[in-house]
Amino acid sequence: ALVALAGLAALAAAMGIDVSRPLIVAGSTGPGEEEMLLEAYARLRQSCAGVQLAIIPRKPERFDEVARLIESRRLTCVRRSRRPDGAKQMTMAPESDAVFLGDTMGELRKFYSLAAAVFVGRTLVKMGGSDVMEVAALAKPMCFGPHVENFVDACLSIENLIDRHSVGIKRRRDRRGEFETPDDSVLTPAKMKA
């Protein structure tokens, strides 16, 4: 079910996001992460037909760079800046190779609200992490990488909640006690519907 937030239907219609199919939203991503996400997405598409991906980079000056990266993978880049609300409705076939790029400001929460699962960016490479509480407040399944230095307390609070209630995705620690980088197995069709 969609979280009640103004503009969700208009965003989905303008971008061609099919709300009946799972959408993974990678929010606040940083340099080096999009490549990893696109590789994981390519593998995931082989086992989860119809899965969709939206990438929303943290910094606006990276929007064009990420668009070029998506296109370099021979994927169709659907840019929000070129698909404003009220644009002619797009329909994407389940086998479409489109990747949605959130290249506007102030719409990350809308993208998160449309998501079946969220990857919280700036966590796969050492950038300090991003705030996980916005995703948690929307009650969306999430995953994040090992680099959450600026948000340790929030991440630990979420993990403690998961431990107490046995729900969600638990991050694994390696032998040194460090968090392991998640793989695409956390985004299997069964987990996305849970």
Side-chain angles (χ1 to χ4, degrees):
L2 295 180
V3 174
L5 185 65
L8 292 184
L11 170 64
M15 296 288 289
I17 297 169
D18 183 343
V19 297
S20 71
R21 295 180 7 231
L23 173 69
I24 299 167
V25 173
S28 295
T29 59
E33 290 185 316
E34 294 91 0
E35 292 93 343
M36 290 184 263
L37 291 165
L38 289 169
E39 287 172 18
Y41 178 58
R43 290 190 307 273
L44 185 59
R45 286 180 66 203
Q46 294 172 7
S47 61
C48 183
V51 68
Q52 305 167 99
L53 175 65
I55 299 175
I56 298 85
R58 169 109 172 139
K59 303 220 178 238
E61 58 268 22
R62 296 195 58 248
F63 291 163
D64 290 337
E65 170 192 344
V66 175
R68 285 190 300 272
L69 175 66
I70 293 167
E71 291 166 347
S72 76
R73 299 291 178 109
R74 292 187 169 87
L75 298 167
T76 302
C77 181
V78 180
R79 297 180 72 147
R80 174 63 168 152
S81 60
R82 296 184 182 152
R83 303 292 311 161
D85 289 354
K88 183 179 177 190
Q89 187 168 348
M90 293 180 69
T91 304
M92 298 289 178
E95 64 278 0
S96 169
D97 66 354
V99 173
F100 305 104
L101 177 61
D103 63 346
T104 54
M105 299 301 294
E107 294 193 300
L108 182 59
R109 186 175 177 87
K110 287 182 189 178
F111 277 100
Y112 282 163
S113 295
L114 291 169
V118 173
F119 165 75
V120 180
R122 299 170 53 87
T123 61
L124 289 177
V125 293
K126 288 192 175 203
M127 287 185 261
S130 293
D131 189 5
V132 296
M133 296 312 282
E134 184 170 19
V135 181
L138 292 169
K140 295 294 180 174
M142 76 174 89
C143 63
F144 43 88
H147 302 289
V148 294
E149 297 82 6
N150 297 338
F151 297 93
V152 170
D153 290 340
C155 292
L156 289 174
S157 293
I158 289 170
E159 288 179 346
N160 289 335
L161 236 163
I162 290 168
D163 286 344
R164 278 197 305 259
H165 299 286
S166 299
V167 297
I169 299 170
K170 175 127 173 58
R171 292 191 337 154
R172 301 175 302 257
R173 294 183 185 263
D174 65 16
R175 286 186 224 143
R176 296 179 314 230
E178 306 240 343
F179 289 117
E180 294 178 1
T181 302
D183 60 25
D184 49 320
S185 67
V186 299
L187 297 173
T188 60
K191 299 228 181 196
M192 285 190 285
K193 292 177 182 168

